[in-house]
Amino acid sequence: MKPFNPLLIILFLFVVGQVFGQTNYTLSPNYKFTILGGSNLHDWTETASKVSGNSAVNWNSDGSLELNALKIVLDARSLRSTEGSIMNSKTYKALNTDKNPTIQLRLTAPLKAIPANANGYIVRASGDLTIAGVTRAVTLNVKVFVYGHDKIVFEGTEPIKMSDYHIDQITALFGMLKVSDDVKIQFNTTFSHN
């Protein structure tokens, strides 16, 4: 019989503590995802109506939290423009939604020591943003609001260039309207404890 190894027990308890100490959250339906853009004629807005997401958090003994994982999936065909159905269909074509039906954001590095009861606490979040099948690393400035262990709110605005995601310039009115390459993704998300 092999001798008892206390190090194995400590390692086992550490791993179990890490797995079971994690709290899972799901994106609540009161989210808001908006794309703000412009053109040579006027500004425009698109809003997403189908978004899902989940996150995983570890709570520290001092009440602070560590965001270990976060993933958001937006149905690209749920985007609706203030400019109506013609702009909608041009957006779907530019995003090639038949082959790339979703826009995704995934956290790639944990966020540590977010304070308890944070109220607009700003973090720099590293992630992968996938649009039109192209994935790029991004760093987001995100405001965090913590409401006990029940819900966590993330909000912010991220500027992107559509050409970085190989999206061709959108035009309309026989080329008279040309959409700007620079857009902003504005988000307000609430994650609730499962």
Side-chain angles (χ1 to χ4, degrees):
M1 186 175 200
K2 291 185 177 179
F4 174 78
N5 189 340
L7 272 175
L8 287 177
I9 298 295
I10 292 169
L11 180 62
F12 173 78
L13 290 174
F14 174 77
V15 170
V16 168
Q18 291 298 307
V19 171
F20 291 103
Q22 189 164 269
T23 306
N24 295 318
Y25 291 77
T26 304
L27 181 65
S28 298
N30 58 339
Y31 56 77
K32 187 167 184 184
F33 280 88
T34 306
I35 299 173
L36 306 170
S39 72
N40 59 325
L41 297 181
H42 51 69
D43 292 342
W44 52 270
T45 302
E46 292 184 342
T47 304
S49 61
K50 290 183 183 175
V51 185
S52 61
N54 52 64
S55 63
V57 168
N58 270 34
W59 292 93
N60 300 317
S61 57
D62 64 358
S64 66
L65 66 95
E66 296 179 7
L67 182 64
N68 295 326
L70 183 138
K71 184 176 181 181
I72 295 171
V73 179
L74 183 153
D75 180 347
R77 290 192 71 87
S78 77
L79 288 167
R80 297 291 182 268
S81 172
T82 51
E83 302 306 306
S85 59
I86 292 175
M87 183 65 171
N88 292 342
S89 52
K90 287 189 175 290
T91 297
Y92 306 151
K93 182 179 178 182
L95 295 175
N96 196 5
T97 56
D98 289 339
K99 289 186 179 178
N100 308 296
T102 62
I103 295 171
Q104 297 188 28
L105 174 65
R106 183 179 62 86
L107 189 71
T108 54
L111 297 176
K112 298 184 180 292
I114 297 172
N117 302 317
N119 185 16
Y121 182 76
I122 296 175
V123 296
R124 297 270 291 162
S126 298
D128 282 339
L129 179 61
T130 303
I131 303 174
V134 176
T135 301
R136 292 181 60 89
V138 293
T139 303
L140 311 171
N141 287 320
V142 181
K143 285 184 181 178
V144 183
F145 301 82
V146 179
Y147 300 94
H149 287 212
D150 294 329
K151 67 178 182 177
I152 305 167
V153 174
F154 303 101
E155 66 176 46
T157 302
E158 179 64 15
I160 67 164
K161 287 186 177 292
M162 293 193 291
S163 57
D164 286 344
Y165 295 87
H166 305 169
I167 299 170
D168 293 332
Q169 185 179 45
I170 299 172
T171 61
L173 302 173
F174 305 104
M176 289 193 301
L177 183 145
K178 295 179 181 178
V179 171
S180 302
D181 190 32
D182 296 298
V183 299
K184 292 179 181 177
I185 299 175
Q186 197 171 71
F187 57 91
N188 188 312
T189 59
T190 299
F191 284 80
S192 299
H193 177 39
N194 294 345

